[in-house]
Amino acid sequence: MSADELETRIAAIRESGDLTSLLLTLEERARPLLERLPPMPTVKALLSTDGGVCPDDGTALRFDPWNANEHQCPTCGKRYTGERHLRAWARLQHLWLAERAAELATVAVASLDESLSERAGARAREILRWYAERYTEFPNVDNVLGPSRLFFSTYLESIFITNYMAAAVLLREGGAMDEATAKLVGRLADEAAAVIGEFDEGYSNRQTWNSAVRTAIAVWFEDAELAQRAIEGPTGILAHWLEGLGDDGMWYEGENYH
């Protein structure tokens, strides 16, 4: 989204009661993050049989983005700690933070409340910088489906980076991005493109995420070659549209998954 397109969209929000209401909802959701920074996960997510589940009844532990240390079972009420549960929590926390960064960036560029806009932009940039400064410190190990630094699969990395880049582009095009943060974002994006580009999953639904994030990174760098590969390549976005859907409009993927 260019600066001109963003201005047009903001004007549309101002003229629509429904869109204004949605923006106010985002503003309310942003307020807790403006009061304090949520726990930032310093560990890579791990897929395990025992992490994130109650050892007594097998129930998935409740996800609390504000508590990294204790993880409660919604069935029996017991609380658990330990590295396995922490790394299961980290999967959801990484994704949650990227989504919040995108919402904060939206508030930063669209809110009529100048003070709220400035604070939201500052927090969004803080989250972007935090990840950019540490991204290469997360180990590219313990993977299940392709290379990844924050997760255990490439497509989860792609989902995270897509939201991350959405936040960065909104801030940049809305005039709320400083040069130092932009350089850090570029460094993370460059590394992420290399990691994600290593793993082509063919005609898989997961590959659509990989192509989407490479397109987002191409937009950030104004890299026409990368954009062409992600969009028009053999397993790019257009190929998935043309070859991935059957005559019935369904996406078919294997004997038991479509």
Side-chain angles (χ1 to χ4, degrees), residues 158-254:
S158 297
I159 293 172
F160 171 91
I161 300 295
T162 299
N163 279 305
Y164 182 96
M165 296 309 301
V169 170
L170 277 172
L171 292 173
R172 183 178 68 178
E173 300 304 319
M177 173 67 79
D178 61 280
E179 184 177 349
T181 301
K183 287 182 178 179
L184 287 170
V185 167
R187 190 173 71 185
L188 181 148
D190 189 52
E191 173 65 19
V195 171
I196 294 165
E198 289 180 20
F199 194 58
D200 190 318
E201 299 200 61
Y203 287 107
S204 163
N205 68 327
R206 296 185 300 271
Q207 182 63 21
T208 60
W209 281 107
N210 300 355
S211 296
V213 72
R214 288 191 300 150
T215 303
I217 292 171
V219 169
W220 177 264
F221 288 120
E222 298 182 353
D223 186 333
E225 182 180 349
L226 176 58
Q228 184 173 24
R229 291 201 305 270
I231 297 170
E232 301 178 2
T235 57
I237 294 172
L238 291 181
H240 276 72
W241 274 109
L242 295 172
E243 304 293 337
L245 299 176
D247 293 337
D248 58 359
M250 295 289 287
W251 175 278
Y252 178 77
E253 190 166 330

Side-chain angles (χ1 to χ4, degrees), residues 17-236:
D18 288 340
L19 293 179
T20 298
S21 179
L22 287 173
L23 177 59
L24 291 174
T25 299
L26 291 184
E27 291 179 357
E28 286 305 309
R29 283 218 303 235
R31 292 186 191 280
L33 286 90
L34 303 183
E35 296 300 323
R36 61 189 176 108
L37 184 69
M40 305 299 287
T42 56
V43 295
K44 176 188 174 96
L46 178 71
L47 180 64
S48 64
T49 58
D50 55 349
V53 297
C54 177
D56 291 340
D57 54 43
T59 303
L61 302 182
R62 181 179 290 115
F63 170 62
D64 181 355
W66 298 97
N67 191 341
N69 300 315
E70 291 187 334
H71 313 280
Q72 187 176 29
C73 173
T75 301
C76 67
K78 292 182 180 178
R79 296 179 180 272
Y80 298 95
T81 61
E83 182 182 5
R84 294 279 197 169
H85 298 309
L86 174 64
R87 294 184 68 180
W89 171 87
R91 173 179 68 89
L92 296 174
Q93 187 71 351
H94 285 309
L95 293 170
W96 186 84
L97 283 165
E99 291 173 359
R100 300 293 76 73
E103 289 189 354
L104 286 164
T106 302
V107 173
V109 301
S111 177
L112 285 172
D113 185 330
E114 186 174 341
S115 175
L116 182 64
S117 173
E118 292 179 355
R119 293 167 61 204
R123 185 65 86 201
R125 291 189 298 273
E126 183 178 7
I127 293 172
L128 296 182
R129 286 194 301 270
W130 190 93
Y131 274 105
E133 290 168 351
R134 295 164 178 80
Y135 185 68
T136 57
E137 297 175 6
F138 287 88
N140 189 0
V141 297
D142 295 331
N143 299 317
V144 178
L145 283 169
S148 178
R149 289 196 175 276
L150 300 177
F151 301 94
F152 42 80
S153 61
T154 307
Y155 91 96
L156 288 174
E157 195 95 350
S158 297
I159 293 172
F160 171 91
I161 300 295
T162 299
N163 279 305
Y164 182 96
M165 296 309 301
V169 170
L170 277 172
L171 292 173
R172 183 178 68 178
E173 300 304 319
M177 173 67 79
D178 61 280
E179 184 177 349
T181 301
K183 287 182 178 179
L184 287 170
V185 167
R187 190 173 71 185
L188 181 148
D190 189 52
E191 173 65 19
V195 171
I196 294 165
E198 289 180 20
F199 194 58
D200 190 318
E201 299 200 61
Y203 287 107
S204 163
N205 68 327
R206 296 185 300 271
Q207 182 63 21
T208 60
W209 281 107
N210 300 355
S211 296
V213 72
R214 288 191 300 150
T215 303
I217 292 171
V219 169
W220 177 264
F221 288 120
E222 298 182 353
D223 186 333
E225 182 180 349
L226 176 58
Q228 184 173 24
R229 291 201 305 270
I231 297 170
E232 301 178 2
T235 57

